[in-house]
Amino acid sequence: MKFDFSDRRQLLKLAAATATTLWLPRSAWSRTARLHSDPFALGVASGAPLPDGVVLWTRLLFPEPQAREFTLRWEIAHDEAFTRIARSGQVQAVPALGHAVHAEVQGLEPDRWYFYRFMLGEAVSPVGRTRTAPAPGAEVARLRVGYASCQRWEHGYYAAWRHLHADAPDLVLFLGDYIYEYPGAQNAVRPVSGGWVLTLDDYRARYALHRSDADLQAMHAACPWLLTWDDHEVQNDYAGLHAGNGMPVLGTVPDFAARRAAAYQAWYEHMPVRASMLTQGLGGLQQRPQGAELRIHQQVAWGRLATLHLLDGRQYRDRQACLKDGGSLIDPAQCPEWAEPQRSYLGAAQERWLDDALGRSAGRWNVVGQQTLFGPRDARPGPGQRFWNDGWDGYPAARTRLLDALQRHRVSNPVFFGGDVHENWVGHVKADYSRADSAAIGVEFCGTGISSRASASGMGRAAERLAENPHFIYGEARHRGYGLAEFTPQRLRTTLRAVEDATRLDSGAYTLAQFEVHTGHTRIERV
Ligand SMILES: [Fe+2]
């Protein structure tokens, strides 16, 4: 596998073409040959909501590989019966992009719910429901966001998605580890197909496996999603173009850049995101010939109520400090590299972008959706420190720069959401974490996994770690689930929801804890 620059160029052209509405005669799509299986078995999804538009996604699936293109028709309507069509169009599904489509719909009304579907010949997709963002500057009474991460297939079922679906969020914020690249797990609840995920075909198959799940499909069909990724969408603990924890055995994948490009392409093919993510890399095509870039960091406004900032902590980061085999607990006193000021978690260009985006934000709440725990979590009780070098704790200078930006721009009510650790952590974001009396300048909710198990080492240590790191006010590692955050102009209420048993498809769910933050107060209260 070798990264091919000319293939990449072709792919970018196709991505732009397949996101655009085609103006073909109706006969072009209706002449499609009769199909012998449901091409819409992976369901539908929507995302990237704007005040006047949204992305509608599906990916055609066939029993045998198809080398030809297909033209689909899409419709978006005010009602579920599709009697009042708001917009319709046609879009192409091409084999080079796995027959995925990302129809970018425009001309919708702000702050409205819609229904949508695709048609291919006689086949009609399931109906999805989506919504637009409020108009710029609009006063918005309420925004309800479900946040979630880490849905390792072998570790459990997706009852959590079914319960979030019942909570009727406006948006899902997915914070990373949509798939895992492993060939399986010990004590697997359900098997994955295929072995190690290495090639474009492997990644496509792993995403298709996940999208075969009825609960996950239903959540995608219920509201728009905003997404970022973490490491397992490519490989455990990778950093930029460094392969990270080299499993499978190093040497079997000679070109990590090619593997990463394949993984990014498959992620694009399966997520309801804009084609511009693929075509507008930060450095542009010419400046990064060594690897395909997918620009997923973005800012999304929700009227005057909230601005959401989605960050990418994987693609542009420097290598972990004092690296052994990927992520590890390090003693900062023994690792001078750890504190080097130039080391970056987001990369210099994304840091500049974020600084600018925070400065521009007019939202009353500023939501930062990123991969992992933001505040420091010293894992060594008493004197001395041990930090996990793969998260923000491995990049202290980069964290300080973000804290400085929040203060310099007087960012209004920052709220961080994260995932990755498979544990629930709730805490205050401090101007200076090394001082106990330092002011809180924001709040943080790091969520547990949908299904991924907590590490054995973290399981019994939540109380000890809370005592050692008092900027956190709540921490627990025993539950799988999701979070629900409801924003109003006056307050944020966050509810931590846990499933009773992630190894059961029919698991119930209950509320673990609830917290409130009032605008202008930067203090989390348990309610
Ligand atoms: Fe994870």
Side-chain angles (χ1 to χ4, degrees):
M1 191 160 61
K2 192 89 186 78
F3 183 73
D4 187 324
F5 193 60
S6 57
D7 277 3
R8 171 76 179 166
R9 200 177 291 277
Q10 184 59 20
L11 200 68
L12 300 190
K13 280 191 196 145
L14 280 171
T18 55
T20 318
T21 299
L22 300 169
W23 301 106
L24 299 174
R26 189 181 164 91
S27 57
W29 60 272
S30 58
R31 270 204 308 266
T32 305
R34 197 174 283 268
L35 298 159
H36 300 290
S37 68
D38 177 12
F40 297 111
L42 298 180
V44 297
S46 72
L50 293 172
D52 66 345
V54 70
V55 173
L56 305 180
W57 173 94
T58 192
R59 182 187 160 210
L60 302 176
L61 206 61
F62 304 101
E64 301 295 332
Q66 296 285 328
R68 55 167 287 202
E69 296 172 3
F70 292 88
T71 303
L72 288 79
R73 184 172 172 79
W74 55 265
E75 290 178 343
I76 188 161
H78 293 284
D79 62 322
E80 202 167 1
F82 289 86
T83 56
R84 291 191 300 131
I85 305 280
R87 284 282 183 277
S88 64
Q90 295 168 84
V91 67
Q92 270 192 312
V94 302
L97 286 165
H99 293 107
V101 300
H102 300 78
E104 297 195 9
V105 180
Q106 294 171 320
L108 302 178
E109 293 162 39
D111 208 8
R112 295 281 297 253
W113 286 94
Y114 290 91
F115 297 89
Y116 63 94
R117 64 185 177 187
F118 293 92
M119 283 151 284
L120 176 66
E122 295 169 355
V124 183
S125 76
V127 172
R129 190 167 170 263
T130 192
R131 60 161 302 153
T132 51
E139 292 294 347
V140 180
R142 195 186 79 158
L143 167 64
R144 188 180 261 239
V145 177
Y147 65 94
S149 62
C150 299
Q151 49 174 2
R152 189 157 170 184
W153 180 268
E154 316 93 284
H155 282 185
Y157 291 101
Y158 293 162
W161 286 129
R162 191 171 63 252
H163 291 287
L164 176 54
H165 185 265
D167 291 333
D170 292 295
L171 272 179
V172 168
L173 207 53
F174 191 83
L175 301 172
D177 290 355
Y178 195 101
I179 60 161
Y180 286 70
E181 77 282 18
Y182 299 121
Q186 288 195 322
N187 306 317
V189 174
R190 48 181 173 173
V192 284
S193 46
W196 282 100
V197 177
L198 301 171
T199 66
L200 179 58
D201 284 346
D202 296 340
Y203 284 106
R204 282 175 173 165
R206 191 57 63 93
Y207 280 106
L209 174 70
H210 285 65
R211 285 295 176 82
S212 71
D213 185 280
D215 291 318
L216 179 57
Q217 260 194 31
M219 191 69 252
H220 272 293
C223 71
W225 286 39
L226 291 171
L227 301 110
T228 184
W229 55 31
D230 196 20
D231 52 344
H232 290 288
E233 283 87 350
V234 181
Q235 156 155 315
N236 185 40
D237 290 347
Y238 87 93
L241 283 165
H242 298 287
N245 187 348
M247 292 294 286
V249 180
L250 276 176
T252 56
V253 188
D255 187 346
F256 180 70
R259 182 182 177 193
R260 199 187 80 165
Y264 285 5
Q265 183 182 330
W267 184 90
Y268 171 77
E269 288 174 358
H270 291 83
M271 298 304 148
V273 296
R274 290 183 188 276
S276 55
M277 281 193 174
L278 205 56
T279 53
Q280 293 177 355
L282 271 186
L285 268 176
Q286 310 308 328
Q287 283 146 51
R288 296 180 71 89
Q290 77 276 31
E293 184 179 10
L294 193 50
R295 186 186 163 148
I296 69 166
H297 57 274
Q298 58 177 318
Q299 185 184 46
V300 176
W302 208 262
R304 285 188 59 192
L305 180 63
T307 305
L308 298 96
H309 310 266
L310 275 291
L311 308 186
D312 176 355
R314 279 289 159 193
Q315 187 169 193
Y316 315 106
R317 67 158 70 185
D318 287 315
R319 209 169 176 173
Q320 294 89 347
C322 299
L323 188 74
K324 292 177 200 137
D325 328 300
S328 45
L329 274 179
I330 58 162
D331 178 355
Q334 303 294 320
C335 178
E337 182 193 349
W338 174 78
E340 283 174 5
Q342 77 281 10
R343 291 184 66 252
S344 181
Y345 183 74
L346 301 173
Q350 187 182 186
E351 280 192 23
R352 282 195 301 275
W353 167 85
L354 179 59
D355 195 276
D356 185 52
L358 290 169
R360 268 199 326 265
S361 168
R364 186 166 281 134
W365 296 97
N366 278 276
V367 174
V368 182
Q370 46 83 48
Q371 288 70 37
T372 189
L373 205 59
F374 183 70
R377 193 175 58 168
D378 174 10
R380 184 187 170 103
Q385 294 174 311
R386 292 290 184 280
F387 288 123
W388 185 248
N389 68 351
D390 188 56
W392 285 98
D393 268 344
Y395 300 82
R399 179 166 51 205
T400 299
R401 282 194 292 277
L402 178 43
L403 291 169
D404 288 348
L406 293 173
Q407 293 168 90
R408 190 162 16 89
H409 295 299
R410 300 177 194 276
V411 174
S412 173
N413 300 298
V415 183
F416 283 69
F417 292 111
D420 173 46
V421 297
H422 310 173
E423 303 174 10
N424 276 304
W425 286 84
V426 177
H428 292 103
V429 173
K430 298 280 216 162
D432 179 354
Y433 283 100
S434 67
R435 285 181 29 231
D437 62 345
S438 174
I441 57 171
V443 298
E444 160 167 27
F445 297 91
C446 184
T448 183
I450 288 285
S451 58
S452 303
R453 297 172 192 144
S455 77
S457 62
M459 202 87 88
R461 298 221 171 110
E464 176 188 295
R465 289 184 177 177
L466 268 174
E468 186 67 22
N469 300 280
H471 42 273
F472 289 111
I473 64 158
Y474 180 90
E476 71 83 29
R478 301 200 175 277
H479 298 90
R480 312 280 72 80
Y482 61 92
L484 189 67
E486 190 176 276
F487 296 89
T488 71
Q490 292 79 36
R491 61 133 180 86
L492 159 65
R493 173 171 285 204
T494 302
T495 306
L496 307 187
R497 299 274 293 158
V499 291
E500 282 158 4
D501 183 354
T503 70
R504 290 182 59 125
L505 183 60
D506 62 353
S507 173
Y510 61 97
T511 293
L512 264 184
Q514 276 192 315
F515 304 90
E516 270 190 8
V517 182
H518 292 266
T519 39
H521 288 283
T522 327
R523 190 176 66 243
I524 307 172
E525 288 169 45
R526 190 157 175 185
V527 292

